[in-house]
């Protein structure tokens, strides 16, 4: 009896985690559930850590509905074990395709092999994994994060006017965008020994994390010229800390961020951020197109790179009125 209750409880817990038949899909999207020709997609999202993530989730849910795809959506709250549980639940539910944005790069081979053995194709979206076995997924749709870091580094090199101390607010430890944005930035500033990263710590891609780490940097670092934040939210948290310390963000301390979500672009247009590299969260439409193809067994490119730009303060003012996210 006790065993039965425990089993029932774990199914409910798994359903809550994997949002069985909910999100924009399930019975709610009018496409029916797994019966008939409807494609059922299990999507394991990273979490709701940033404005970028909110826009990404909205895009996936809206585009699934528009494409007639029955979406089962789960939020892993930035924990790899939650994403793995959600993927296992999608395998049990025999969805037609699994898509996910891996919270960190490593540790996916076992669960992806389980999906492969169950003949369920997997699409990586937004973030990549670090695995030698590329047969574990059909395609990877998302940004070139190293290139984003390079764009930030190019701006730094072009705008440094002498010895420059940079503090870096890193994204989630072990996540592809944190690793790659650091790499691209360092690659570019290597040509200018005067530009130094004097402190670097994770703010977990959240506003509160960025604020907390920046408060500590302001106490421990005698001279900070520039903040390089791996996303807008951490940069916005840093702005709060800089103001609280009696300094002027964008002037006393320059700020470079990545994403270009509305809140970030507003701060850029107001002069509190100096440069933003764009990272496009609107991946839903391309994801649904790729999903339809992989379910039919059609060939898809191994890598689909998102096109994106970068904004200075004047460009942000011009772009803001039409910004979708
Ligand atoms: O993986 C994309 C990154 O994740 C975004 O830049 C960041 O805001 C989000 O949390």
């Amino acid at each position: 009896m006790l065993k039965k209750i425990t089993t029932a409880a774990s199914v409910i817990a798994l359903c809550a985690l994997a949002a069985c038949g909910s999100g924009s899909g399930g019975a709610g999207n009018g496409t029916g559930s797994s019966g008939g020709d409807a494609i059922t997609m299990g999507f394991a999202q990273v979490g709701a850590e940033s404005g970028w993530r909110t826009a990404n989730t909205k895009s996936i849910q809206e585009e699934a509905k528009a494409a007639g795809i029955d979406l089962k959506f789960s939020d892993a709250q930035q924990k790899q074990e939650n994403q793995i549980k959600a993927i296992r639940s999608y395998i049990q539910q025999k969805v037609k395709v699994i898509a996910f944005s891996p919270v960190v790069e490593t540790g996916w081979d076992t669960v992806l092999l389980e999906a492969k053995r169950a003949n369920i194709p997997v699409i990586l979206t937004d973030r990549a994994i670090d695995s030698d076995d590329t047969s574990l997924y059909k395609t990877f749709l998302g940004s070139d994060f190293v290139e984003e870091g390079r764009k930030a580094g190019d701006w730094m090199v072009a705008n440094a006017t002498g010895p420059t101390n940079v503090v870096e607010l890193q994204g989630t430890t072990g996540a592809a965008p944190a690793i790659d944005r650091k790499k691209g930035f360092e690659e570019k500033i290597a040509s200018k020994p005067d530009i130094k990263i004097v402190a670097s710590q994770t703010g977990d891609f959240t506003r509160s994390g960025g604020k907390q780490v920046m408060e500590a940097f302001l106490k421990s670092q005698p001279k900070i010229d520039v903040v390089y934040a791996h996303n807008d939210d951490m940069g916005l948290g840093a702005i709060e800390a800089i103001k609280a310390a009696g300094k002027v963000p964008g002037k006393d301390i320059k700020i470079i961020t990545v994403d270009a979500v509305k809140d970030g672009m507003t701060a850029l247009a107001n002069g509190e951020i100096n440069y933003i590299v764009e990272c496009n969260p609107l991946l839903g439409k391309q994801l649904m197109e790729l999903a339809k193809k992989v379910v039919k067994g059609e060939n898809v490119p191994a890598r689909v790179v998102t096109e994106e730009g970068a904004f200075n303060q004047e460009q942000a003012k011009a772009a803001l009125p039409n910004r979708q996210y």
Side-chain angles (χ1 to χ4, degrees):
M1 178 63 178
L2 184 64
K3 195 170 171 211
K4 268 191 187 159
I5 292 171
T6 318
T7 311
S10 32
V11 171
I12 290 165
L14 214 53
C15 273
L17 180 73
C20 301
S22 68
S24 77
N29 75 353
T31 60
S33 51
S34 34
D37 290 337
I39 294 175
T40 308
M41 171 189 281
F43 189 93
Q45 182 59 291
V46 169
E49 73 283 3
S50 62
W52 189 97
R53 191 64 54 196
T54 306
N56 179 245
T57 292
K58 190 166 173 265
S59 165
I60 286 156
Q61 291 179 332
E62 286 178 358
E63 294 296 343
K65 198 169 181 180
I69 290 184
D70 179 4
L71 182 72
K72 295 179 183 298
F73 182 89
S74 61
D75 172 341
Q77 298 177 346
Q78 297 235 71
K79 292 198 175 76
Q80 182 175 34
E81 66 264 31
N82 287 347
Q83 276 193 316
I84 291 175
K85 276 186 204 159
I87 293 169
R88 291 212 164 106
S89 146
Y90 296 144
I91 296 170
Q92 272 179 357
Q93 292 174 63
K94 298 186 171 47
V95 299
K96 292 267 169 52
V97 54
I98 291 172
F100 80 116
S101 173
V103 61
V104 290
E105 277 191 339
T106 54
W108 300 103
D109 285 34
T110 306
V111 71
L112 293 188
L113 199 57
E114 290 168 28
K116 190 178 169 185
R117 288 192 178 130
N119 282 321
I120 300 176
V122 170
I123 299 177
L124 302 180
T125 171
D126 163 35
R127 298 183 182 178
I129 61 167
D130 182 2
S131 169
D132 291 336
D133 187 355
T134 52
S135 77
L136 294 176
Y137 55 91
K138 296 290 179 198
T139 179
F140 165 39
L141 161 68
S143 309
D144 181 340
F145 296 134
V146 178
E147 192 52 34
E148 290 172 353
R150 287 190 190 119
K151 287 179 191 163
D154 277 340
W155 186 90
M156 183 69 271
V157 169
N159 289 276
T161 50
T164 306
N165 286 356
V166 180
V167 294
E168 182 181 35
L169 296 170
Q170 289 187 43
T172 304
T173 306
I179 295 166
D180 293 353
R181 287 173 187 165
K182 181 173 186 56
K183 188 176 166 200
F185 186 79
E186 284 178 349
E187 186 187 303
K188 289 294 180 173
I189 64 166
S191 62
K192 287 253 184 167
D194 258 8
I195 304 172
K196 289 194 177 67
I197 299 180
V198 292
S200 179
Q201 207 177 302
T202 180
D204 216 10
F205 280 130
T206 65
R207 209 173 282 208
S208 59
K211 184 177 178 207
Q212 232 179 323
V213 175
M214 191 62 203
E215 282 165 356
F217 284 164
L218 285 160
K219 283 182 193 139
S220 65
Q221 296 301 321
K223 179 178 174 276
I224 300 174
D225 302 301
V226 174
V227 174
Y228 169 43
H230 289 186
N231 79 344
D232 286 350
D233 278 82
M234 291 190 295
L236 292 164
I239 288 175
E240 290 175 35
I242 292 168
K243 284 183 181 166
K247 295 185 190 264
V248 183
K251 293 208 164 60
D252 297 336
I253 298 179
K254 304 256 191 303
I255 303 179
I256 311 167
T257 68
V258 183
D259 274 357
V261 294
K262 252 191 195 148
D263 285 357
M265 291 288 273
T266 305
L268 180 62
N270 292 342
E272 294 187 328
I273 292 179
N274 302 81
Y275 194 62
I276 301 186
V277 177
E278 185 179 36
C279 179
N280 188 352
L282 306 182
L283 303 177
K285 197 170 193 312
Q286 279 171 296
L287 174 61
M288 300 311 148
E289 284 164 8
L290 288 167
K292 285 186 174 175
K293 286 189 177 160
V294 299
V295 168
K296 279 193 208 147
E298 289 175 16
N299 283 335
V300 291
R303 175 77 170 103
V304 182
V305 185
T306 322
E307 276 185 29
E308 25 206 41
F311 300 89
N312 62 25
Q313 293 172 339
E314 288 315 310
Q315 289 162 332
K317 280 181 204 158
L320 251 180
N322 300 317
R323 203 76 189 147
Q324 285 180 58
Y325 52 90

